[in-house]
Amino acid sequence: MWIRHLLFVMATSLVVTGYAATVGKDLIKLCPGQAKCRHVYDAAGALSPSDVPRFEDYMRWILRESDVDIRFAFIAGTGTRSIEEVATDVVDELRIGGKTGQERGVLLLYDMQGRRLKMEVGYGLEGYFPDAFVSYLVRDHAQQFFESGDLGFGLRLLLRLLQHRVREAVLGTDFDPRVLKAVRSGGYLSGGAGVTARMPSARSVHAKPTDRMSDPDRALYRAGSTPTQTYTAYLAWLSHRVFDPNVDLFTPASRGYLASLPLSPAYRQFILFGEYGKTFKLVERGDLALLYFTNTPFTSPHFFVKEGGAWRMDMNAEVRNTRERVGGPYTWDYRGRGDEYTRAFSDLLFEIGSVQRIKDGDNRPLVIRGSKRL
């Protein structure tokens, strides 16, 4: 699932030049959810012109789906004022969340000069975005993608994190702070995954994301004698600062495919947010295994194959056999036809509405809060 998430993020904002005490009435459209409403204020030109309409479409989609009003605003600087003071004024002036009925609004304000991000959360969303989650977005995630030089990609990914958290909250799932320890550990996991993996070398902590892992670090991420062992090592691999797909966890074909993708640390952390601490079932059939989740409906299954006595993840099978969906009650479906995995696990599949899912997985439909606004 996460590979197709990446392709979506790559394909899918708020700067006002010199704050000057007001954002400027000509930039404001007080119309949450309507076609001409602006969610992106980028008068300073921080974003590519082709990115702005994509952000607008995406944030309107989030508003329709969840009734959460998200705005981006970039400012050239705050002058003698604090970014907190400016953020409060912008929220008031743009009436962010004011028409959602429960002050369900979020402002992401970025100060270009000071390189600071402020996330202002409306009262109606404080339970959705606890302080620990907001702190991670502002201090960890934002720093990574702003420093990467690809602002558009980073912002799309930030939106996906926000949307994922909103979806979980709507279904009554509390934020699990253990995932923050995992993403900050640099490859060391314990607790949520049920198994502990060792700490990588000190060298890896200071490595660039494009570096090759050291040989000792690579050795930590080996295929296990059970699919669960391999999956646990995979979660630890996701949290490693260095993206190196040439590890024993994956089939040779999967390594080649992963090597073609720009999987930044921030993006791999996004994947970890969706899986760490989640409950799952594993079904083995001969040399094949299927892992699917039982307490989140948003993450599609993983596929494993036994090779030489070790279980490796088959990411190519994941791309081939599952598909991301938007605009409906389910975010993924199973689309495999006639391949070895589909034949082996056909008795676990069933039709629900217009999609195919796994029988005893989490098949709760997405709650569309804002459906009446369409």
Side-chain angles (χ1 to χ4, degrees), residues 101-147:
Q102 298 175 331
E103 297 191 54
R104 296 167 59 85
V106 177
L107 169 69
L108 292 127
L109 177 71
Y110 188 67
D111 168 19
M112 300 289 288
Q113 184 178 42
R115 296 181 61 81
R116 294 172 297 172
L117 176 69
K118 171 63 177 175
M119 179 174 171
E120 195 76 13
V121 178
Y123 293 119
L125 294 174
E126 289 181 344
Y128 284 28
F129 304 122
D131 291 343
F133 180 79
V134 172
S135 176
Y136 163 75
L137 289 182
V138 171
R139 297 181 183 178
D140 295 74
H141 176 79
Q143 181 182 7
Q144 289 187 43
F145 74 70
F146 279 118
E147 290 179 351

Side-chain angles (χ1 to χ4, degrees), residues 42 45-54:
D42 187 13
L47 297 173
S48 165
S50 62
D51 275 340
V52 174
R54 293 179 181 142

Side-chain angles (χ1 to χ4, degrees), residues 247-323:
V247 294
D248 190 53
L249 293 173
F250 306 108
T251 64
S254 298
R255 295 171 207 166
Y257 182 77
L258 291 173
S260 69
L261 302 176
L263 298 183
S264 67
Y267 186 78
R268 282 177 279 126
Q269 289 175 11
F270 163 62
I271 301 305
L272 196 61
F273 264 79
E275 300 194 25
Y276 184 77
K278 301 297 189 292
T279 60
F280 58 83
K281 287 187 177 181
L282 257 162
V283 179
E284 296 182 29
R285 302 276 172 84
D287 289 338
L288 302 177
L290 182 69
L291 181 153
Y292 53 95
F293 296 90
T294 57
N295 71 340
T296 175
F298 305 126
T299 304
S300 60
H302 291 302
F303 300 79
F304 299 79
V305 59
K306 193 175 184 179
E307 301 173 328
W311 288 92
R312 293 183 175 86
M313 298 187 73
D314 190 342
M315 309 309 288
N316 295 58
E318 184 174 332
V319 173
R320 182 177 64 248
N321 290 333
T322 62
R323 171 179 53 187

Side-chain angles (χ1 to χ4, degrees), residues 181-199:
K181 294 181 180 180
V183 299
R184 291 165 174 163
S185 67
Y188 176 81
L189 296 181
S190 62
V195 181
T196 298
R198 290 176 292 166
M199 180 72 77

Side-chain angles (χ1 to χ4, degrees), residues 86-241:
V86 174
T88 299
D89 282 355
V90 172
V91 168
D92 289 342
E93 188 169 345
L94 298 184
R95 295 174 57 196
I96 297 173
K99 291 194 176 183
T100 64
Q102 298 175 331
E103 297 191 54
R104 296 167 59 85
V106 177
L107 169 69
L108 292 127
L109 177 71
Y110 188 67
D111 168 19
M112 300 289 288
Q113 184 178 42
R115 296 181 61 81
R116 294 172 297 172
L117 176 69
K118 171 63 177 175
M119 179 174 171
E120 195 76 13
V121 178
Y123 293 119
L125 294 174
E126 289 181 344
Y128 284 28
F129 304 122
D131 291 343
F133 180 79
V134 172
S135 176
Y136 163 75
L137 289 182
V138 171
R139 297 181 183 178
D140 295 74
H141 176 79
Q143 181 182 7
Q144 289 187 43
F145 74 70
F146 279 118
E147 290 179 351
S148 73
D150 192 344
L151 183 61
F153 180 82
L155 289 174
R156 285 191 287 274
L157 183 51
L158 187 148
L159 277 175
R160 292 307 299 269
L161 281 165
L162 289 171
Q163 182 188 34
H164 180 76
R165 176 63 206 132
V166 168
R167 286 173 165 178
E168 288 194 324
V170 168
L171 291 183
T173 303
D174 292 332
F175 177 69
D176 185 352
R178 293 178 301 171
V179 70
L180 297 180
K181 294 181 180 180
V183 299
R184 291 165 174 163
S185 67
Y188 176 81
L189 296 181
S190 62
V195 181
T196 298
R198 290 176 292 166
M199 180 72 77
S201 67
R203 174 187 176 276
S204 69
V205 176
H206 304 289
K208 295 179 180 179
T210 54
D211 285 349
R212 178 185 183 277
M213 283 185 190
S214 66
D215 289 337
D217 283 0
R218 269 191 178 184
L220 298 179
Y221 307 112
R222 300 191 61 82
S225 59
T226 68
T228 300
Q229 290 176 348
T230 299
Y231 180 62
T232 299
Y234 163 73
L235 292 178
W237 175 82
L238 284 174
S239 68
H240 199 290
R241 174 169 172 74

Side-chain angles (χ1 to χ4, degrees), residues 60-97:
R60 279 194 290 269
W61 169 33
I62 293 174
L63 180 63
R64 291 195 299 268
E65 176 185 285
S66 61
D67 206 30
V68 172
D69 180 16
I70 299 176
R71 311 287 184 98
F72 280 149
F74 286 95
I75 57 176
T78 64
T80 59
R81 309 183 67 201
S82 70
I83 193 171
E84 290 78 13
E85 291 175 315
V86 174
T88 299
D89 282 355
V90 172
V91 168
D92 289 342
E93 188 169 345
L94 298 184
R95 295 174 57 196
I96 297 173

